[in-house]
Amino acid sequence: MFRIRFHGRGGQGMKTASHILGSAFFHEGFEVQDAPRYGAERRGAPIFAYVRAARGAINERGIIRHPDLVIVADESLVPVPAAEVLANFAPHTTLLINSAESAETWRERLNLSSPIICLPLAEAGEQAELPYMGVACAAAAARLTGVIGRESLGDTVAEELGSLGEEVVAENLRRALAAFDAMADHEGCVAEGEERLAAPAEGPDWIEMPLDLGEQATPAIHAGATSVEVRTGLWRVMRPVVHEDHCNKCVWICGSLCPDSVISTGAGGYPEVDYDHCKGCMICVAACPRHAIEAVPEHGAAGETAATHEEASP
Amino acid sequence: MSEPVIKGMKDIPSEHILGAGTALCAGCGALQALHEIYDVLGENTVFVNSAGCMTLMSVYPFTPFRGGWLYTAMASAPAGAQGVRDALDILLAKKRIAPEEDMQVAVLSGDGATYGMGLAAASCAIDRDLDFLYICYDNEGYGNTGNQTSAGTPHASRTATDTGAEGVPGYKKDLFGLWVANRPAYAATVIGAEPLDLARKVEKAKSIKGPKLILALSPCPVGWDYDPMETLEIGRLAVKTGIWPLKEFVDGKVVHTKTPHPRTPVEEYLKLQGRYAHLFSPKRNDALIDEIQSRVDAYWDAVGD
Amino acid sequence: MTRQLLTGNVAAAWGVRLAEVDYVPAFPITPQTEIIETIAGWIDKGEMDCRMVTMDSEHSMITAAGAAVATGVRSYAATSSQGLLYGMEMLYTVAGWRTPFVLTNVSRGLSAPITLESDHNDVMAARDSGFLQIHCATCQEVVDATLMAYRLAEDKRVRVPVIVNLDGFYLSFTREPVDIPDPAKAREFLPPFDPGSLKFRAGRPLSEAVAVLGGTPYSYFRYELHLAAMGALAVYDEVAEDFARLFGRRYDAVESYRAEDADYVFVMLGSFSTKARDAVDGLREAGVAAGLVRPRLFRPFPVEALRRALAGRKGVAVIDQNLSMGKGGVLHGELLSALYGVADAPPVVAGFIGGLGGRDIGPGEFREMISVLEQAVADGETPPPRLLFSAEELRHVRKLQASAHVEREEIHRQERGDTERDET
């Protein structure tokens, strides 16, 4: 059975990716399961989707714990613990990253012995967040399995996206086939994983649930603003940077309009952005009367952040 | 009514008390309005919440609130507010708590619950003269489930359940008008993109006893289909085009707090949003654009602009 | 202690008054309305220091009651039938909030067809809500159970709401002599409500009833509610013991009447069980060793006490005043699951559906149920569930259908046949 996991952010088309890959497998005669996994998180938040494909009936359900292939549409997610991109990697698990950097760089950065393939999906002059990301990821994954033909993939893309109109389908098809072709050297590199039966698995450490007093055993939070422990800054693909030389120090404007209350008055009266929580909506950029706040891609910083995270949590 | 403190932008609280780290989308117009409202209301507020996007404001064990929060169900947040308010009044009357332990009670509800399922509970809370602030974040659709048509969805916009060439056949309900007909102590429309107008109204509402409404139009990047950065521009255009009149009902009269003059054509507002894209492409639908414009014009003609 | 003639509804109101309830969100519905009217009258005369608010629905009413408890006051609500169902979402919700209060349900059959008279389908629908359930057989039990329910609900080890159930008409509008407990003793029995840390106060951050994502914390919170309900069995025994000590009336979780040496036992809930008592006495006089076992507690289900009470009996007739379509009586299924695989369990446990929509159960029917049990024991075969419904009743329905111009050839034929028979 192929067990394939897609990681991206809400809005990057991971559900579409899983549907296209699932349908492509299906067209090739496989039994298939595909599903997105939704949490409370929204656009920009880490989400994942998965595909299972086998020649026989599939009885597994739910999240994939032992993937054969993991596709990361957004490289800034790799170091994010909550995204669980690197969860349950086996030596044979292939990692496909949408990145302009080399596989070697990622191997060193992640200290990972599994196979790594890098595929830069952004074409010249494009930002990180693309409408075509999901389709390209699915196409690349299809080639890596070695069991999905070029024509069959093309048919699937046309079928899955048909409702979006000819123009959209044509552009998606172009992107999909480009990604498919780019993976020619790696065709078939992803092998099917073993069947996992219940018997050899480790037994659960079941307990007798203790009775707690009702006061404790109800979902109540007895402190204020505990939400700050959630690092929503990880959703960001662009970062607002304040240029103090242009800044008027009218923090009541950007500070009030920021939905997430992450702009406060910092040193010298300039606005200070809490990057741990800024989701990167860029409303402050739009709001600044002096154009002193600039949107800067988070991308370049991802590698450095990754290294820092790896050191912090070995 | 006490003397207002908020006169200019600089008087708006600079300390933001709503905790960051919530699961709401980047660029959320509802969160923008809520944090501005909370800054004026202060920590000693119990929010009684109904089902909607804001349900996920508090996900165990994380809450952005510094005072009280109680999640109820979709239809009954006003009844929850009744229970909390009555209990606090009983405790005060029976001297089981000190006056300084008292809290103000607010309902937090989306347009789905406010314009539909929760309307009876809210209306009857007004009938009972409940002392509470009803905050509606109106993102004009069932946003939390992916923007299906609600009773707050505007005419001709496209939703997940009205996907045809003409969009939604019905018209957005005049919730402010319904409240006014119910004779509350106070009612106001606001938008996060106009923080000063919002803060003044919340300050006023806070000083009045009885049932009060703060109805916040809440641009929604996901449901309305636009870049999160545009939340501010779309919010400002909602006011400039006259689509979202900023007004308040106080002392038995409706007063407009901002009259756009001259009004920007509604087209400027519509064309920024994917939910109206079918009005412009592949073919411009002048009939629908004109209809939206003429309804806005008729509104302002009627109020004697 | 004063003995007075009280309806079940007024008895419930007395329980609320003696519990010194602070807050009553209310909504009228037949046959419960007399309860809230009685309380309203006391409040308006200054006899009860309580606030009542008439709400817009039972859904709102239960929300307000739960929210008030979450703010730290003792609350009460009452409803019936459609009202209980309309509030069903909030029954589950406030139980999960762990807000202890008492809800009186005056049982009434459910729509459609809409009816006014009693059966237990309404309260059975609340079975899995997290509310505990105490079922009353007399007006005396109603006042006493209401006080006991507050003690049970507010116990720190329990902290879940409780439904006290009484049958519409048969108790709600029926006056019986009731000993009204002495207020001072009631106060001794039921200490003031202590909400602990779950209360909204200025300067005390508290987010209640927040969302939970993921099966693990969800399982924890839901299972804790179950454990609290299970633990309520032992707490109920303590409460009943204390009540007996103070007031001299004992209310075991399971009432057993002449069942110790009985061959055949009726098992049922609620006020019709007093009819079964009479039937037991009559059967005993006729030489049949009959008995009655009546669970007062339905949630938590007193499994051990029922096993003990029924051990060694030859046959059991479960009389359900409810009907789970496609299965049968709810109590019958519950009892079977409690007895399965238990040594000494009765070999025959037969199910009977009776008393739907207030239909009476006659003495001859109790006798007949014992005959069915005797036959079943002799045959070694348990009969399928049976509806208590006579040929005469079916004839009556046929007449109604004819008057309703129901187009059915068979009905007209039968109607003609009936007439012919009547004439001969």
Side-chain angles (χ1 to χ4, degrees):
Chain A
M1 189 189 307
F2 286 105
R3 297 175 179 87
I4 298 169
R5 225 164 50 199
F6 289 92
H7 292 265
R9 295 178 182 277
Q12 288 178 336
M14 292 304 99
K15 181 179 167 184
T16 307
S18 69
H19 280 187
I20 288 172
L21 185 60
S23 295
F25 269 121
F26 187 62
H27 284 212
E28 294 290 355
F30 281 79
E31 294 296 308
V32 168
Q33 259 187 16
D34 62 53
R37 191 78 176 182
Y38 296 112
E41 285 77 22
R42 308 306 172 81
R43 186 144 108 174
I47 65 146
F48 64 93
Y50 59 84
V51 177
R52 287 189 177 90
R55 293 289 179 189
I58 299 172
N59 292 316
E60 290 182 3
R61 289 204 178 280
I63 56 172
I64 288 177
R65 301 207 180 276
H66 302 280
D68 306 311
L69 170 62
V70 170
I71 301 122
V72 186
D74 188 322
E75 62 182 323
S76 66
L77 285 176
V78 177
V80 176
E84 296 196 306
V85 170
L86 300 176
N88 304 106
F89 256 60
H92 84 278
T93 309
T94 301
L95 178 63
L96 173 69
I97 312 180
N98 166 23
S99 173
E101 294 183 281
S102 72
E104 247 342 281
T105 308
W106 279 104
R107 184 179 314 289
E108 279 169 32
R109 189 178 286 154
L110 302 175
N111 191 22
L112 199 68
S113 58
S114 306
I116 299 178
I117 301 167
C118 287
L119 171 67
L121 291 177
E123 296 182 0
E126 284 179 343
Q127 294 283 353
E129 204 172 344
L130 293 172
Y132 311 105
M133 203 116 80
V135 177
C137 284
R143 191 71 184 265
L144 297 185
T145 65
V147 297
I148 296 168
R150 196 171 191 274
E151 197 177 327
S152 166
L153 174 77
D155 292 349
T156 306
V157 171
E159 177 189 302
E160 286 289 325
L161 304 178
S163 64
L164 301 177
E166 269 174 44
E167 240 174 272
V168 178
V169 171
E171 180 58 14
N172 273 286
L173 202 54
R174 186 181 74 74
R175 301 274 183 156
L177 295 177
F180 188 87
D181 295 342
M183 290 291 105
D185 292 348
H186 303 284
E187 180 169 296
C189 74
V190 173
E192 292 188 56
E194 293 165 18
E195 295 307 309
R196 290 185 175 271
L197 300 173
E202 262 180 57
D205 53 345
W206 283 346
I207 50 135
E208 291 306 318
M209 181 81 89
L211 170 66
D212 290 343
L213 291 182
E215 242 180 273
Q216 302 153 7
T218 186
I221 303 164
H222 300 266
T226 54
S227 61
V228 296
E229 288 178 44
V230 182
R231 299 292 176 95
T232 45
L234 302 169
W235 299 13
R236 206 170 51 234
V237 286
M238 300 288 280
R239 129 187 329 231
V241 174
V242 180
H243 295 292
E244 294 183 354
D245 45 343
H246 297 299
C247 176
N248 216 10
K249 302 187 187 179
C250 47
V251 188
W252 55 87
I253 294 177
C254 51
S256 289
L257 293 169
C258 167
D260 288 282
S261 328
V262 300
I263 301 179
S264 56
T265 310
Y270 295 105
E272 188 173 296
V273 181
D274 166 9
Y275 290 115
D276 283 344
H277 297 102
C278 165
K279 293 171 183 163
C281 69
M282 301 300 146
I283 287 176
C284 54
V285 174
C288 180
R290 298 283 298 265
H291 306 291
I293 309 179
E294 190 191 357
V296 176
E298 199 70 30
H299 240 51
E304 292 156 39
T305 322
T308 319
H309 272 267
E310 282 305 302
E311 283 159 26
S313 50
Chain B
M1 225 185 287
S2 53
E3 194 56 30
V5 174
I6 299 170
K7 296 193 168 80
M9 269 303 278
K10 290 186 196 179
D11 304 322
I12 294 176
S14 57
E15 288 291 308
H16 306 304
I17 58 178
L18 191 68
T22 63
L24 275 75
C25 305
C28 174
L31 188 58
Q32 185 183 52
L34 176 64
H35 106 85
E36 293 173 15
I37 292 167
Y38 199 24
D39 284 346
V40 180
L41 283 181
E43 289 179 17
N44 284 336
T45 308
V46 184
F47 288 99
V48 183
N49 184 59
S50 69
C53 291
M54 295 282 182
T55 300
L56 298 173
M57 285 291 280
S58 295
V59 176
Y60 196 78
F62 304 117
T63 179
F65 298 97
R66 294 175 194 271
W69 161 272
L70 178 68
Y71 175 73
T72 54
M74 193 152 189
S76 63
Q82 181 86 43
V84 174
R85 183 65 265 160
D86 284 342
L88 287 166
D89 286 345
I90 289 165
L91 292 165
L92 287 165
K94 295 189 175 180
K95 296 193 170 18
R96 283 194 245 150
I97 60 170
E100 56 271 21
E101 286 181 283
D102 191 18
M103 300 181 84
Q104 54 197 333
V105 181
V107 160
L108 189 56
S109 185
D111 56 289
T114 300
Y115 285 68
M117 199 193 277
L119 192 53
S123 169
C124 295
I126 305 168
D127 302 339
R128 294 187 297 261
D129 201 31
L130 179 65
D131 180 22
F132 78 126
L133 178 65
Y134 191 113
I135 301 163
C136 172
Y137 55 98
D138 180 358
N139 60 15
E140 304 196 317
Y142 292 106
N144 199 37
T145 44
N147 198 43
Q148 296 77 24
T149 303
S150 82
T153 307
H155 184 58
S157 66
R158 242 186 202 160
T159 69
T161 46
D162 279 296
T163 57
E166 307 267 289
V168 173
Y171 295 87
K172 184 179 177 71
K173 176 148 57 201
D174 179 9
L175 189 87
F176 179 85
L178 279 179
W179 266 71
V180 166
N182 222 148
R183 311 312 279 179
Y186 181 76
T189 60
V190 302
I191 190 160
E194 298 286 351
L196 178 58
D197 180 76
L198 179 149
R200 281 173 170 160
K201 286 170 175 170
V202 176
E203 186 186 36
K204 196 179 285 180
K206 193 182 170 182
S207 71
I208 301 172
K209 211 168 153 5
K212 294 146 293 203
L213 171 72
I214 293 286
L215 178 59
L217 184 69
S218 302
C220 171
V222 178
W224 299 9
D225 188 14
Y226 64 82
D227 187 288
M229 188 181 188
E230 304 286 348
T231 291
L232 183 60
E233 183 61 12
I234 287 171
R236 285 174 175 165
L237 279 169
V239 177
K240 283 185 198 161
T241 56
I243 274 190
W244 188 245
L246 294 174
K247 53 189 170 180
E248 61 185 354
F249 171 78
V250 66
D251 298 332
K253 285 196 301 284
V254 174
V255 178
H256 285 78
T257 54
K258 215 163 199 167
T259 303
H261 202 81
R263 285 192 302 279
T264 307
V266 293
E267 191 178 332
E268 301 303 311
Y269 171 76
L270 305 178
K271 71 185 185 190
L272 287 180
Q273 305 171 45
R275 63 174 173 159
Y276 291 112
H278 57 290
L279 301 185
F280 301 97
S281 156
K283 206 171 139 275
R284 195 181 154 89
N285 190 332
D286 279 316
L288 277 177
I289 297 169
D290 290 350
E291 189 196 346
I292 295 168
Q293 183 66 61
S294 65
R295 283 179 168 267
V296 170
D297 294 344
Y299 172 89
W300 289 101
D301 287 348
V303 302
D305 164 35
Chain C
M1 219 177 273
T2 53
R3 201 147 186 269
Q4 291 185 20
L5 279 176
L6 301 181
T7 62
N9 279 341
V10 176
W14 265 105
V16 177
R17 176 169 168 165
L18 291 169
E20 299 183 333
V21 165
D22 295 306
Y23 185 50
V24 181
F27 193 80
I29 184 169
T30 302
Q32 166 280 123
T33 308
E34 186 187 9
I35 299 177
I36 56 170
E37 287 181 348
T38 304
I39 295 170
W42 287 335
I43 293 171
D44 290 343
K45 279 185 280 183
E47 292 174 17
M48 211 180 146
D49 186 8
C50 175
R51 178 173 300 204
M52 179 183 282
V53 180
T54 311
M55 299 299 291
D56 39 282
S57 72
E58 291 85 357
H59 189 276
S60 283
M61 173 185 83
I62 296 166
T63 307
V69 177
T71 312
V73 301
R74 184 172 283 158
S75 304
Y76 170 79
T79 191
S80 290
S81 185
Q82 305 302 119
L84 191 71
L85 263 68
Y86 197 77
M88 190 62 68
E89 180 189 23
M90 297 316 296
L91 289 186
Y92 279 71
T93 302
V94 301
W97 292 357
R98 306 297 294 268
T99 46
F101 67 96
V102 174
L103 172 74
T104 300
N105 183 61
V106 184
S107 261
R108 174 184 140 191
L110 293 174
S111 183
I114 188 87
T115 188
L116 295 176
E117 292 187 73
S118 178
D119 72 33
H120 295 157
N121 252 104
D122 55 0
V123 71
M124 288 295 138
R127 184 187 66 174
D128 305 332
S129 65
F131 271 68
L132 309 183
Q133 290 191 14
I134 302 175
H135 289 245
C136 302
T138 66
C139 295
Q140 181 70 60
E141 276 193 34
V142 172
V143 59
D144 293 346
T146 304
L147 272 178
M148 289 170 65
Y150 273 104
R151 258 283 294 272
L152 181 64
E154 291 173 4
D155 191 290
K156 284 194 175 311
R157 295 162 292 177
V158 180
R159 211 189 161 106
V160 294
V162 179
I163 289 174
V164 173
N165 198 73
L166 61 133
D167 294 334
F169 292 83
Y170 289 95
L171 288 184
S172 70
F173 297 160
T174 304
R175 292 204 308 164
E176 292 178 349
V178 173
D179 267 331
I180 299 174
D182 173 60
K185 271 193 186 171
R187 211 168 287 139
E188 184 188 339
F189 173 72
L190 179 66
F193 172 46
D194 174 12
S197 63
L198 294 178
K199 57 191 176 196
F200 295 116
R201 299 288 181 272
R204 264 184 71 113
L206 177 65
S207 292
E208 281 202 66
V210 309
V212 164
L213 295 177
T216 293
Y218 185 79
S219 301
Y220 166 79
F221 288 119
R222 295 303 287 173
Y223 204 80
E224 285 294 335
L225 185 53
H226 168 63
L227 288 177
M230 293 299 285
L233 270 175
V235 178
Y236 178 87
D237 288 345
E238 285 175 31
V239 171
E241 190 63 44
D242 225 28
F243 192 89
R245 181 177 57 78
L246 276 166
F247 300 101
R249 292 184 291 275
R250 176 170 293 280
Y251 296 111
D252 293 334
V254 175
E255 179 197 36
S256 194
Y257 180 70
R258 301 184 80 168
E260 295 75 17
D261 62 342
D263 292 329
Y264 302 103
V265 178
F266 298 111
V267 175
M268 60 195 301
L269 298 167
S271 66
F272 273 25
S273 66
T274 58
K275 292 170 184 276
R277 274 179 177 248
D278 268 356
V280 164
D281 290 344
L283 285 159
R284 287 271 178 178
E285 274 177 34
V288 179
L292 165 71
V293 166
R294 171 175 70 97
R296 284 194 177 88
L297 273 185
F298 182 66
R299 280 291 178 273
F301 198 56
V303 169
E304 285 305 326
L306 284 167
R307 284 176 180 164
R308 275 197 305 275
L310 298 175
R313 304 309 110 204
K314 287 183 184 168
V316 174
V318 182
I319 306 171
D320 268 292
Q321 282 176 264
N322 67 79
L323 181 55
S324 174
M325 281 64 179
K327 174 64 168 67
V330 174
L331 182 59
H332 184 229
E334 298 256 317
L335 186 67
L336 284 174
S337 74
L339 296 176
Y340 183 80
V342 175
D344 279 354
V348 170
V349 179
F352 297 89
I353 308 294
L356 296 185
R359 181 208 181 267
D360 202 3
I361 301 177
E365 291 187 306
F366 284 103
R367 178 70 193 83
E368 184 63 20
M369 283 186 264
I370 296 297
S371 299
V372 170
L373 290 184
E374 285 170 338
Q375 191 61 49
V377 170
D379 297 348
E381 201 175 315
T382 302
R386 159 175 285 289
L387 174 71
L388 307 186
F389 199 80
S390 66
E392 173 57 33
E393 287 179 281
L394 185 59
R395 278 197 292 278
H396 177 62
V397 170
R398 293 305 187 209
K399 280 180 186 161
L400 295 177
Q401 286 179 315
S403 300
H405 292 248
V406 174
E407 285 293 335
R408 222 174 93 183
E409 204 40 49
E410 196 199 341
I411 293 168
H412 296 306
R413 186 184 53 74
Q414 194 159 348
E415 183 68 11
R416 283 193 301 275
D418 291 346
T419 316
E420 280 158 27
R421 263 202 302 281
D422 287 347
E423 282 166 0
T424 53

